[in-house]
């Protein structure tokens, strides 16, 4: 099969800038495509963390102002473990540290339409004949609303085939109508089947409407977003484009998330060496100030603290968790009310419930290894990576049956233990009662050592490597190129 030239554009990329799973995907999927010998290059804003990581980046091109509101910029070349990066350097828009979308108070940057308008415009330009790079991709792959406007220019002005991937349809990038001209989109794009959405400019709607093909990050979520409840207003459009929509499950970076070689752990372990996992529990209890109890399970949570993740259900159960009896270790940041809820829960149950507010990659690894069981009762979950990390770390997850959680976690029952598929606990309803029953059931199972070990091993044996997803993306790109003509 021929080698494809692919431009992959994203607004975050691990390990340099990451607010959630998109950052992980933007690092791992291009790397897997490169291992499959495709010519893939990643376009990403030159945030301070990237300047710091690549001080020797060389100038590829100077870009003039591409539209009335878009400042001039530069493209820099860097390489991450052999993967070519194209850094979009525009200090006026991107020289801001911390969360790439929010200011220090947690509000959207007021010029986000311009910042990600420029990123989208440049992604499109690199797929067009006027590209300053002397390199033409066969396909431009954009991710979430921050790059989803690129397919609009490719559609109206011509250029490569395009694919837009939805990582979370709740975030759409919707801005005042005046941005149409400011970003240099043609006037005739202002249509219900163009970039207009209820009188505003919607980046994500534009991408879903105008990209050659669409994907999202799990098969179940691909079905869900065609229904009003999950579609956040875009379900009718997705039903209309159902033939162009596919669900491809994310993978796991199996080198980074491997309990047998993870340098952040107190003790490495594997499916056939599970006893050493206990060392990690002891270490985590010590690190987080939990009592060194061995007679009760330790539940773990690592999450953005938002409505999406269903953690208010955990807060409602509150001290009930300690009475199971069980312990709880939480790492997260986000919604101030949820943060406060966990802080006060921990304050009233020292030694049994511990909370760290903030973003801490190494602690995330130690919680995956040290907890007995992972909680992820999301209301919706396009894919979810943490449940897959948990499965690999022998930390059976309790999840709600939605999106990628439904595609990866199999409820442990007599039947699924017999056929060796049962790897966690699944609830149907996002209610405190349903979650409580699952916590009780998981606690009972944990006390039956043989059963628990079977559940752990079933999860650890499953193959979540990126090679499968990369293969499906290549098929998607080829279909997009063929459909584009
Ligand atoms: P989402 O992208 O919706 O936040 P995912 O499960 O796909 O959910 O990905 C979340 C990623 O972010 C995982 O790699 C997880 O470990 C990481 N993460 C989330 N919150 C934190 C945190 N407070 N500290 C460290 N890592 C975190
Ligand atoms: C989003 C989703 C999450 C998914 C991630 C990567 O942030 O909320 O479910 O795993 O993107 O695709």
């Amino acid at each position: 099969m021929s080698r494809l030239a692919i431009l992959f554009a994203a607004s975050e990329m691990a390990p340099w800038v990451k607010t959630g799973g998109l950052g992980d995907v933007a690092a791992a999927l291009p790397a897997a495509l490169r291992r499959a010998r495709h010519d893939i290059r990643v376009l990403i804003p030159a945030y301070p963390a990237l300047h710091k990581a690549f001080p020797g980046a060389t100038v590829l091109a100077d870009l003039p102002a591409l539209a009335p509101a878009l400042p001039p910029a530069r493209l820099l070349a860097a390489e991450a473990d052999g993967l070519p990066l194209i850094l979009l350097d525009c200090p006026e828009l991107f020289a801001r540290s911390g969360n790439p979308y929010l200011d220090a108070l947690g509000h959207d940057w007021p010029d986000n339409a311009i910042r990600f308008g420029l990123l989208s415009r440049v992604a499109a330009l690199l797929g067009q004949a006027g590209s300053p790079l002397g390199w033409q991709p066969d396909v431009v792959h954009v991710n979430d609303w921050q790059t989803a406007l690129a397919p609009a220019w490719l559609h109206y002005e011509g250029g490569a085939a395009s694919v837009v991937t939805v990582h979370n349809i709740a975030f759409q990038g919707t801005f005042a109508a005046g941005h149409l001209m400011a970003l240099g989109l043609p006037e005739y794009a202002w249509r219900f089947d163009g970039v207009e959405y209820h009188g505003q400019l919607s980046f994500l709607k534009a991408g879903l409407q105008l990209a050659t093909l669409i994907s999202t990050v799990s098969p179940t979520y691909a079905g869900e977003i065609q229904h009003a409840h999950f579609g956040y207003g875009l379900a009718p459009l997705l039903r209309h484009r159902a033939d162009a929509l596919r669900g491809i499950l994310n993978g796991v970076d199996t080198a980074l998330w491997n309990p047998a070689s993870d340098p952040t752990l107190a003790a490495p372990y594997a499916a056939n060496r599970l006893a050493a996992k206990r060392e990690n529990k002891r270490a985590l209890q010590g690190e987080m100030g939990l009592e060194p109890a061995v007679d009760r399970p330790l539940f773990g949570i690592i999450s953005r603290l938002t409505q999406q993740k269903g953690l208010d259900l955990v807060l409602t159960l509150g001290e009930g968790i300690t009475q199971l009896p069980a312990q709880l270790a939480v790492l997260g940041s986000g919604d101030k009310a949820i943060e406060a809820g966990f802080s006060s829960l921990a304050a009233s149950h020292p030694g049994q419930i511990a909370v760290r507010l903030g973003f801490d990659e190494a602690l995330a690894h130690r919680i995956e290894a040290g907890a007995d069981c992972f909680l992820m009762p999301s209301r919706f979950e396009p894919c979810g990576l943490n449940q897959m990390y948990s499965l690999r770390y022998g930390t059976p997850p309790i999840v709600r049956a939605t999106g990628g959680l439904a595609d990866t976690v199999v409820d442990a029952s007599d039947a699924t233990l017999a056929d060796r598929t049962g790897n966690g606990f699944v609830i149907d309803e996002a209610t405190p009662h349903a979650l409580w029953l699952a916590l009780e059931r998981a606690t009972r199972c944990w006390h039956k050592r043989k059963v628990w070990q079977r559940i752990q091993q079933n999860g650890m044996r499953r193959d979540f490597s990126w090679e499968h997803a990369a293969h499906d993306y290549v098929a998607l790109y080829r279909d997009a190129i063929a459909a584009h003509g």
Side-chain angles (χ1 to χ4, degrees):
M1 283 293 237
S2 61
R3 184 167 190 247
L4 294 178
I6 307 153
L7 179 72
F8 186 98
S11 54
E12 56 183 270
M13 185 177 187
W16 305 291
V17 180
K18 162 172 158 180
T19 68
L22 172 61
D24 288 343
V25 174
L29 174 58
L33 288 162
R34 186 171 167 275
R35 286 197 296 279
R37 309 211 172 283
H38 294 286
D39 174 10
I40 177 153
R41 309 185 189 187
V42 180
L43 174 69
I44 173 156
Y47 304 110
L50 284 126
H51 276 295
K52 188 159 171 239
F54 302 102
T58 54
V59 180
L60 276 173
D62 281 303
L63 300 177
L66 294 164
L70 299 179
R74 292 190 311 172
L75 297 178
L76 309 178
E79 216 178 87
D81 285 335
L83 178 69
L85 305 182
I86 302 167
L87 310 180
L88 174 58
D89 188 30
C90 182
E92 177 182 338
L93 300 183
F94 297 120
R96 305 172 199 180
S97 298
N99 187 302
Y101 318 123
L102 310 175
D103 65 18
L105 296 174
H107 301 129
D108 287 338
W109 288 109
D111 56 352
N112 273 351
I114 308 300
R115 301 172 74 222
F116 298 107
L118 178 67
L119 181 61
S120 293
R121 182 66 193 93
V122 171
L125 177 68
L126 300 187
Q128 295 181 309
S131 166
L133 294 192
W135 171 76
Q136 283 294 321
D138 301 306
V139 60
V140 174
H141 181 180
V142 299
N143 294 275
D144 272 353
W145 74 263
Q146 293 89 344
T147 46
L149 201 52
W153 283 286
L154 293 167
H155 174 83
Y156 292 116
E157 298 176 351
S162 59
V163 167
V164 61
T165 296
V166 179
H167 296 263
N168 193 334
I169 207 161
F171 303 111
Q172 302 184 352
T174 307
F175 302 100
H179 288 101
L180 182 84
M181 306 303 261
L183 295 176
L185 285 158
E187 215 167 329
Y188 53 82
W190 198 253
R191 302 163 49 107
F192 81 98
D193 58 356
V195 305
E196 185 268 347
Y197 184 63
H198 298 299
Q200 296 197 292
L201 168 64
S202 167
F203 279 41
L204 185 61
K205 188 256 173 159
L208 297 180
Q209 182 76 54
L210 302 170
T212 318
L213 291 179
I214 305 167
S215 76
T216 186
V217 288
S218 70
T220 294
Y221 195 59
E224 287 174 341
I225 52 179
Q226 297 179 48
H227 296 282
H229 178 67
F230 288 101
Y232 283 78
L234 293 169
L237 168 54
L238 288 165
R239 281 199 299 277
H240 175 67
R241 296 214 65 197
D243 290 345
L245 168 64
R246 258 172 243 185
I248 302 176
L249 193 71
N250 287 332
V252 165
D253 185 327
T254 49
L256 216 57
W257 292 93
N258 180 358
S261 59
D262 188 330
T264 62
L265 304 193
Y269 62 97
N272 57 357
R273 282 184 283 130
L274 270 172
K277 188 173 184 336
R278 276 183 233 136
E279 293 295 318
N280 295 296
K281 177 172 179 176
R282 222 189 328 263
L284 180 66
Q285 286 168 323
E287 176 176 1
M288 293 197 70
L290 293 166
E291 281 172 16
V294 293
D295 64 339
R296 60 197 62 190
L298 169 54
F299 292 105
I301 292 175
I302 302 157
S303 188
R304 287 186 294 117
L305 302 179
T306 66
Q307 188 53 14
Q308 171 189 349
K309 302 293 179 177
L311 297 172
D312 49 306
L313 304 178
V314 178
L315 285 175
T316 305
L317 298 182
E319 76 161 73
I321 296 171
T322 62
Q323 289 165 4
L324 275 165
Q327 294 179 319
L328 178 66
V330 181
L331 168 63
S333 65
D335 186 297
K336 297 297 165 215
I338 307 178
E339 286 189 354
F342 276 112
S343 295
S344 80
L345 193 60
S348 4
H349 300 281
Q352 299 308 318
I353 298 182
V355 174
R356 290 279 182 283
L357 299 179
F359 202 93
D360 185 337
E361 194 82 35
L363 180 58
H365 283 244
R366 291 194 291 271
I367 292 179
E368 289 292 4
D372 293 299
C373 185
F374 193 81
L375 295 187
M376 202 163 169
S378 306
R379 291 200 164 74
F380 69 94
E381 195 60 75
C383 177
L385 296 173
N386 271 310
Q387 84 282 10
M388 294 196 270
Y389 301 154
S390 302
L391 291 168
R392 268 185 74 72
Y393 276 60
T395 308
I398 297 181
V399 304
R400 202 174 89 70
T402 182
L405 300 176
D407 293 333
T408 51
V409 183
V410 179
D411 190 64
S413 63
D414 289 344
T416 62
L417 285 176
D419 69 14
R420 294 187 168 268
T421 55
N423 58 18
F425 304 87
V426 181
I427 60 176
D428 289 323
E429 299 297 323
T431 62
H433 183 65
L435 180 60
W436 177 251
L437 294 180
L439 289 174
E440 279 190 330
R441 194 153 65 90
T443 302
R444 275 198 307 276
C445 275
W446 181 80
H447 284 286
K448 298 181 200 155
R449 285 307 158 116
K450 279 242 146 58
V451 174
W452 193 256
Q453 220 178 64
R454 175 68 72 86
I455 301 173
Q456 289 178 297
Q457 286 168 339
N458 288 348
M460 294 179 90
R461 258 198 302 266
R462 209 166 139 166
D463 178 6
F464 287 116
S465 58
W466 267 104
E467 279 29 67
H468 301 289
H471 179 269
D472 291 350
Y473 275 102
V474 170
L476 176 73
Y477 298 152
R478 292 197 194 283
D479 289 349
I481 293 161
H484 187 63

